[in-house]
């Protein structure tokens, strides 16, 4: 494929060069030689060095291990028993970053609270009690702990997902602070409750007991939560064409893991990145943009300490030159073969869905808005991200308590037999196609009309409740942004067609791509963060479930009478509204300037 095409099609040379057999060899080595790759441990260091050596062998010679301090966790078993209405000991794990109980432990009444979201506490008084919750991602463990503490609970018992007879004990962290804490977030966002995990089979028995009457339990945690040096691995592949000097695409995933093999999470993802690096190193001369490969650590026990450190310490470069971020985490899982799901910032949606449709062989393909989970540490700096992988059907999820990452996830049962190698080959082809287009298309394959439509829809939804904080004015600005976004998309499409016809202009491409990057810097934080560009939202933060998280509290105004509580909330929301309005105004300005320049 020549440089200069406007919209890359699937490139047979790249798609057919990636090999699931190579991925399998790496996974077999990792799970055998480097199990339990905990951040801050010797095996964590060995894994970082393995990634470095694999990348160098793949042809990415500019690869290095970087060390940083991180607040991590080394949880052990937990002691847990039912004292009434029966006496029963239950096997349990302490969850990462749980508080450490005193030797005598804690005891109290156990209350079942469903998934542990705010709505699940309606009509329940958990003050001074322990809560029993489902171990799903609605909300995530970290948010379950935060909500439980806010509701007055004194401890958390989280039952695993999977089928009703699942005896697997779950691992996981409950630390809400994203990355290393600051002096402020250490006081306001760290874990304050002892938290343990039990099997689904045991949890369902406890749930039944809670439905029949009072249940008294006792627990004791065992955990160390120290600062430790951890290691991330970063590889850099320079594009020989140098048509857009220093611009790059990021490809990343975490390389630390819980106990055992952790084959799907994330040895397989790391091995996919090695394989992509091997193939793309052979095509440097055809790339317009560089590739930065990141193997993060402190994902499992530091709540994204490695990737957030990288974002903080490479801010200027990311701000100026990062175009997009492809995250690869848990590809090729057994059973998740009937359909494909991708979460992305909306400007990427049409691009990746076109590729998926061409390679999935008629499988169902669904989309969701990217939210702050996994190593999505780059929303603040404004880098659009996406991740896609096989997914279980809705029926399968309903039968497994929403175990969307497999019943074995975060347990000792996450072994290499949980990987489907034929399906892994499809994942590799899709990832290679994503990366090829991002690295070779003269004009980045972004579209901003979907972003504008989502913003406008959300602001209209909130407008009535937010009249007192000026949201109708923000709606008017969103409408202007919709008009401008359509004009920009039409302009970009026209130039892509010129490139396809061999009539492209590199200066025009660079002008449009600069506009895309600037729009991402303005709009990704708006779409995806509550704190904005210069902070990191807590992991699983409830406002993240909505578009424009900083306006999450607007509906609460409808239920507040005139008085102190309403006036304080209005003060906060007026400022958030102003932030939204400014971003939309600036986005329209970027688009208008670009159109004028190319007229």
């Amino acid at each position: 494929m020549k440089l200069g095409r406007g919209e890359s099609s699937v490139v047979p040379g790249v798609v057919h060069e990636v090999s699931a057999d190579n991925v399998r060899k790496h996974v077999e080595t990792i799970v055998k030689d480097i199990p339990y790759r905990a951040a801050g441990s010797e095996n964590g260091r060995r894994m970082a060095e393995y990634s470095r050596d694999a990348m160098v062998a793949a042809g990415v010679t500019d690869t290095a291990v970087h060390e940083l301090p991180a607040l991590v966790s080394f949880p052990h078993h937990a002691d847990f028993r039912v004292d009434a209405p029966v006496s029963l000991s239950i096997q349990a794990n302490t969850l990462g970053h749980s508080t450490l109980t005193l030797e005598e432990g804690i005891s109290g009444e156990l209350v079942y609270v469903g998934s542990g979201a705010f709505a699940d506490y309606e009509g329940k008084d958990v003050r001074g009690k322990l809560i029993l919750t489902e171990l799903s991602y609605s909300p995530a463990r970290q948010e379950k702990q935060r909500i439980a503490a806010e509701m007055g609970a004194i401890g958390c018992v989280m039952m695993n997902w999977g089928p009703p007879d699942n005896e697997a004990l779950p691992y996981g962290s409950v630390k809400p602070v994203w990355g290393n804490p600051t002096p402020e977030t250490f006081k306001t966002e760290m874990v304050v409750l002892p938290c343990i995990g039990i099997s689904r089979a045991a949890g369902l028995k406890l749930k039944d007991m809670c439905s029949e009457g009072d249940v008294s339990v006792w627990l004791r945690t065992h955990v160390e939560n120290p600062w430790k040096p951890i290691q991330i691995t970063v590889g850099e592949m320079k594009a020989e064409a140098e048509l857009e000097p220093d611009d790059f695409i990021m490809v990343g995933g975490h390389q630390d893991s819980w106990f055992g093999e952790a084959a799907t999470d994330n040895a397989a993802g790391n091995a996919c990145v090695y394989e992509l690096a091997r193939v793309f190193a052979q095509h440097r001369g055809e790339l317009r943009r560089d590739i930065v490969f990141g193997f993060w650590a402190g994902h499992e026990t530091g709540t994204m300490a490695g990737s957030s450190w990288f974002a903080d310490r490479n801010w200027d470069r990311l701000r100026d030159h990062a175009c997009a971020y492809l995250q690869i985490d848990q590809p090729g899982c057994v059973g998740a073969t009937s359909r494909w799901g991708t979460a992305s910032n909306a400007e990427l949606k049409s691009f990746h869905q076109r590729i998926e449709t061409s390679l999935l062989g008629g499988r169902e393909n669904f989309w969701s808005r990217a939210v702050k989970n996994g190593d999505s540490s780059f929303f603040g700096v404004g880098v659009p991200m996406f991740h896609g992988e096989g997914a279980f059907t809705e029926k399968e999820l309903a039968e497994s308590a929403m175990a969307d990452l497999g019943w074995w996830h975060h347990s000792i049962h996450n072994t290499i037999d949980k990987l489907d190698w034929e399906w892994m080959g499809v994942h590799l082809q899709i990832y290679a196609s994503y990366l090829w287009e991002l690295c070779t298309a003269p004009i980045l394959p972004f579209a901003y009309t979907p972003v504008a439509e989502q913003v406008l829809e959300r602001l209209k939804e909130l407008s009535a409740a937010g009249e007192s904080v000026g949201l109708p004015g923000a709606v008017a600005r969103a409408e202007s942004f919709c008009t401008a976004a359509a004009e920009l998309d039409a302009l970009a499409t026209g130039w892509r067609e010129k490139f396809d016809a061999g009539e492209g202009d590199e200066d025009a491409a660079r002008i449009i791509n600069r506009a895309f990057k600037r729009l991402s810097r303005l709009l990704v934080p708006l779409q995806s963060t509550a704190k904005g560009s210069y902070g990191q939202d807590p992991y699983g933060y409830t406002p993240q479930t909505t578009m424009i998280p900083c306006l999450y509290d607007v509906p609460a105004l409808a239920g507040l009478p005139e008085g102190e509580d309403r006036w304080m909330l209005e003060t906060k929301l007026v400022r958030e509204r102003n932030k939204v309005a400014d971003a939309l105004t600036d986005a329209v300005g970027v688009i208008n300037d670009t159109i004028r320049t190319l007229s």
Side-chain angles (χ1 to χ4, degrees):
M1 177 178 291
K2 298 186 301 180
L3 289 175
R5 288 186 61 88
E7 186 174 88
S8 301
S9 57
V10 172
V11 183
V14 171
V15 165
H16 297 297
E17 288 173 30
V18 288
S19 167
D21 287 339
N22 290 338
V23 170
R24 183 171 189 163
K25 291 173 185 175
H26 278 297
V27 174
E28 288 173 344
T29 300
I30 292 168
V31 302
K32 176 177 178 291
D33 294 346
I34 323 175
Y36 184 33
R37 302 173 288 279
S41 72
E42 181 57 30
N43 271 8
R45 181 186 298 277
R46 290 179 61 217
M47 184 62 202
E49 293 168 349
Y50 182 93
S51 291
R52 177 199 60 202
D53 295 345
M55 292 294 286
V56 170
V60 186
T61 55
D62 185 9
T63 301
V65 174
H66 303 272
E67 189 165 277
L68 58 132
L71 183 58
V72 294
S73 186
F74 296 94
H76 308 290
H77 76 282
D79 301 310
F80 181 49
R81 70 171 184 257
V82 178
D83 287 335
V86 297
S87 180
L88 176 67
S89 292
I90 296 176
Q91 191 175 7
N93 285 332
T94 304
L95 296 177
H97 285 282
S98 166
T99 60
L100 181 66
T101 61
L102 297 176
E103 182 64 24
E104 59 265 29
I106 63 168
S107 60
E109 181 182 344
L110 185 69
V111 180
Y112 175 70
V113 293
S115 291
F118 280 108
D120 293 307
Y121 286 83
E122 291 181 9
K124 298 174 182 176
D125 182 2
V126 301
R127 289 173 297 178
K129 302 173 185 177
L130 295 92
I131 60 103
L132 171 66
T133 184
E134 306 275 346
L135 189 57
S136 67
Y137 281 85
S138 300
R141 289 180 307 273
Q142 294 88 339
E143 183 73 345
K144 296 180 199 294
Q145 185 276 156
R146 188 185 74 84
I147 292 170
E150 188 172 321
M151 302 304 291
I154 61 171
C156 301
V157 180
M158 302 186 189
M159 75 166 92
N160 206 0
W161 57 16
D165 60 351
N166 184 13
E167 297 282 356
L169 291 179
Y171 308 121
S173 174
V174 291
K175 170 177 164 281
V177 175
W178 192 285
N180 281 334
T182 65
E184 293 76 22
T185 60
F186 187 82
K187 295 175 184 176
T188 60
E189 296 179 11
M190 284 298 291
V191 183
V192 295
L193 300 179
C195 300
I196 67 171
I198 62 173
S199 74
R200 180 146 194 87
L204 290 176
K205 291 177 183 176
L206 283 176
K207 176 185 173 183
D208 289 343
M209 292 169 64
C210 289
S211 69
E212 295 169 358
D214 291 348
V215 177
S216 295
V217 297
W218 169 90
L219 67 81
R220 179 169 56 204
T221 57
H222 302 273
V223 62
E224 303 157 61
N225 298 320
W227 287 85
K228 288 278 190 178
I230 70 170
Q231 298 77 33
I232 65 172
T233 308
V234 178
E236 309 248 357
M237 182 185 295
K238 295 293 291 183
E240 292 178 2
E242 293 189 350
L243 292 168
E244 300 198 40
D246 300 322
D247 277 8
F248 63 94
I249 307 299
M250 280 196 299
V251 182
H254 70 94
Q255 63 186 352
D256 60 323
S257 76
W258 286 110
F259 300 93
E261 294 184 5
T264 70
D265 185 21
N266 189 31
N270 300 150
C272 284
V273 177
Y274 309 150
E275 180 62 4
L276 291 170
R278 182 190 69 81
V279 171
F280 276 72
Q282 299 171 41
H283 294 273
R284 292 175 195 263
E286 300 164 76
L287 307 183
R288 302 175 64 93
R289 300 176 186 91
D290 303 341
I291 309 175
V292 173
F293 301 93
F295 301 86
W296 317 124
H299 166 103
E300 301 292 11
T301 60
T303 313
M304 319 310 142
S307 58
S308 61
W309 178 90
F310 184 85
D312 290 341
R313 301 305 176 102
N314 293 272
W315 185 270
D316 296 345
R317 183 186 179 197
L318 289 162
R319 194 82 168 172
D320 293 341
H321 296 294
C323 298
Y325 171 41
L326 168 61
Q327 180 173 270
I328 301 179
D329 193 347
Q330 306 192 63
C333 288
V334 162
T337 56
S338 298
R339 59 181 190 153
W340 180 278
T342 302
S344 70
N345 291 103
E347 55 264 52
L348 301 175
K349 181 181 178 181
S350 59
F351 142 69
H352 65 72
Q353 285 199 325
R354 170 170 40 81
I355 288 171
E356 292 151 7
T357 299
S358 71
L359 291 172
L360 282 171
R363 289 180 177 89
E364 179 190 349
N365 178 19
F366 65 94
W367 176 84
S368 57
R369 183 179 61 88
V371 297
K372 200 168 174 63
N373 57 29
D375 275 285
S376 53
S377 294
F378 305 95
F379 284 154
V381 73
V383 180
M385 74 164 289
F386 66 122
H387 63 90
E389 53 277 321
F392 294 98
T393 66
E394 293 297 333
K395 181 176 183 293
E396 290 167 334
L397 291 173
E399 293 171 348
S400 67
M402 305 307 292
D404 56 356
L405 299 174
W407 65 264
W408 57 84
H409 177 66
H410 282 182
S411 81
I412 202 71
H413 304 283
N414 188 345
T415 47
I416 198 168
D417 60 305
K418 306 306 186 302
L419 290 168
D420 182 320
W421 297 108
E422 182 178 352
W423 188 218
M424 187 71 73
V426 177
H427 282 66
L428 280 170
Q429 290 181 344
I430 292 174
Y431 296 153
S433 297
Y434 290 159
L435 191 55
W436 182 264
E437 184 159 342
L438 288 169
C439 289
T440 63
I443 296 174
L444 288 162
F446 297 175
Y448 284 90
T449 297
V451 179
E453 290 173 345
Q454 281 196 340
V455 170
L456 179 59
E457 180 183 4
R458 179 60 173 159
L459 290 176
K460 283 184 172 179
E461 178 185 334
L462 297 174
S463 182
E467 184 173 2
S468 67
V469 296
L471 279 192
V475 169
R477 291 170 189 260
E479 289 170 339
S480 297
F481 174 48
C482 275
T483 300
E487 293 173 354
L488 179 64
D489 289 347
L491 176 70
T493 297
W495 277 104
R496 290 186 186 108
E497 291 171 352
K498 290 181 181 181
F499 274 99
D500 283 341
E503 301 171 356
D505 182 285
E506 292 293 347
D507 288 336
R510 280 188 282 270
I511 289 168
I512 293 171
N513 290 334
R514 279 199 296 270
F516 285 172
K517 288 185 291 182
R518 181 58 188 147
L519 288 173
S520 291
R521 305 311 181 248
L522 293 168
L523 298 171
V524 170
L526 184 72
Q527 299 174 66
S528 304
T529 74
K531 288 189 177 183
S533 292
Y534 305 106
Q536 296 279 5
D537 292 354
Y539 195 99
Y541 193 43
T542 298
Q544 281 279 333
T545 60
T546 61
M547 183 70 167
I548 317 182
C550 67
L551 296 179
Y552 177 81
D553 289 327
V554 166
L557 289 172
L560 286 176
E562 290 295 321
E564 180 180 272
D565 289 345
R566 182 182 181 91
W567 300 330
M568 288 193 295
L569 183 56
E570 283 185 338
T571 300
K572 170 191 171 184
L573 291 174
V574 164
R575 294 170 182 171
E576 298 297 345
R577 175 265 179 214
N578 294 343
K579 180 169 69 177
V580 172
D582 279 355
L584 295 174
T585 299
D586 290 347
V588 171
V590 168
I591 293 171
N592 289 341
D593 288 347
T594 302
I595 292 172
R596 279 195 296 269
T597 300
L598 293 175
S599 296

